Amino acid sequence: MSFDLSLIATSLPKILQGLGLTLNLLAVSTLFGLILAVGILLMRLSRRSWLVWPAKAYIYFFRGTPLLVQLFVIYHGLPQFGFVRQSVLWPILREPYWCSVIALSLNTAAYVSEILRGGVLGVDKGFVEAGKALGLSRFQRATRITTPLAVRLALPAYSNEIVSMLKSTALASTVTLMEMTGVARTIVADTFAPYEIFIAATIIYLVLVWIIQTGFTLIETYANRHVRKT
């Protein structure tokens, strides 16, 4: 099977027209997801069962069901209810952009909360005990010892989640959004050349993944600059 390399080259600039929306979905969903994840983390680490169990249920649901199904439920399912269409949320839920952001944010929050929890639980208890010995309050120990160390431990897994989120933005094309995959599908409909077009899209995604991974590698290197290598 031969490929039309010229079609790949001419398709790259066209697909890049959807780059802005792809990055927008990634940035906004990552921000909202991180904020929500911190709240879920605090519930998950609480000693109160009435906070822990809802957090566990949330994590189990959003990690246990496909993101595409979650997106379809929000975009296609919720509008079926009259009270949703009559609520103050309808101006948001009728927009495919915000439905995509909500689905991506809710999904990534479940994963990120567990990533952060792993970081918190991975902090050596000796550091916390040392903070107590120095007379630091619980809040000071959390902000000056546990949080910085937990973030450092969680960075590698969090970078993988960001890469996963980038790839998940492609699902927004299923609800009519013209991000990069949506643009690519439009070009395929015009050219009937799916291989060349999606190879071009793949090249762009690979470059974006490389940029994200390189950026997190630099952050990890800076965060661990005081760690002695053996």
Side-chain angles (χ1 to χ4, degrees):
M1 181 181 295
S2 60
F3 294 101
D4 187 349
L5 295 178
S6 63
L7 182 56
I8 295 176
T10 56
S11 298
L12 286 172
K14 296 178 181 179
I15 297 174
L16 283 172
Q17 293 176 2
L19 176 62
L21 181 55
T22 293
L23 295 180
N24 180 283
L25 287 170
L26 176 63
V28 175
S29 300
T30 298
L31 176 61
F32 289 166
L34 180 59
I35 294 173
L36 182 57
V38 172
I40 297 171
L41 170 67
L42 296 176
M43 293 173 62
R44 188 74 171 80
L45 297 176
S46 174
R47 297 178 181 178
R48 297 176 174 86
S49 60
W50 58 274
L51 289 175
V52 174
W53 284 107
K56 284 185 175 181
Y58 176 94
I59 293 169
Y60 179 78
F61 176 81
F62 282 99
R63 293 179 67 187
T65 56
L67 175 56
L68 182 60
V69 173
Q70 297 166 19
L71 176 58
F72 280 176
V73 167
I74 294 173
Y75 183 70
H76 295 293
L78 292 181
Q80 303 301 316
F81 299 98
F83 69 88
V84 172
R85 297 194 300 272
Q86 296 171 3
S87 69
V88 295
L89 297 177
W90 179 237
I92 295 176
L93 294 175
R94 69 183 179 185
E95 297 294 334
Y97 169 81
W98 287 112
C99 288
S100 299
V101 167
I102 292 171
L104 289 168
S105 300
L106 293 175
N107 184 270
T108 191
Y111 287 92
V112 174
S113 65
E114 286 295 275
I115 291 172
L116 295 177
R117 188 173 75 93
V120 171
L121 297 179
V123 174
D124 193 326
K125 294 182 179 180
F127 291 110
V128 179
E129 295 299 326
K132 290 181 180 180
L134 292 172
L136 298 179
S137 66
R138 185 176 181 180
F139 178 78
Q140 289 174 324
R141 294 196 303 271
T143 56
R144 299 183 183 183
I145 299 176
T146 304
T147 299
L149 292 175
V151 169
R152 182 189 298 173
L153 293 173
L155 272 177
Y158 186 64
S159 66
N160 291 334
E161 174 59 19
I162 297 299
V163 170
S164 179
M165 276 286 290
L166 171 66
K167 293 181 289 185
S168 295
T169 59
L171 296 177
S173 64
T174 62
V175 291
T176 73
L177 287 185
M178 287 294 103
E179 44 68 64
M180 290 196 299
T181 300
V183 174
R185 292 172 63 180
T186 301
I187 300 174
V188 169
D190 294 334
T191 62
F192 300 100
Y195 298 106
E196 290 86 347
I197 305 306
F198 285 117
I199 285 175
T202 298
I203 293 172
I204 298 174
Y205 277 110
L206 287 175
V207 171
L208 291 175
V209 168
W210 179 82
I211 292 173
I212 292 173
Q213 291 179 333
T214 301
F216 271 96
T217 297
L218 294 175
I219 294 173
E220 289 176 37
T221 301
Y222 178 79
N224 295 296
R225 65 191 183 282
H226 300 305
V227 178
R228 180 179 298 178
K229 297 182 179 179
T230 57

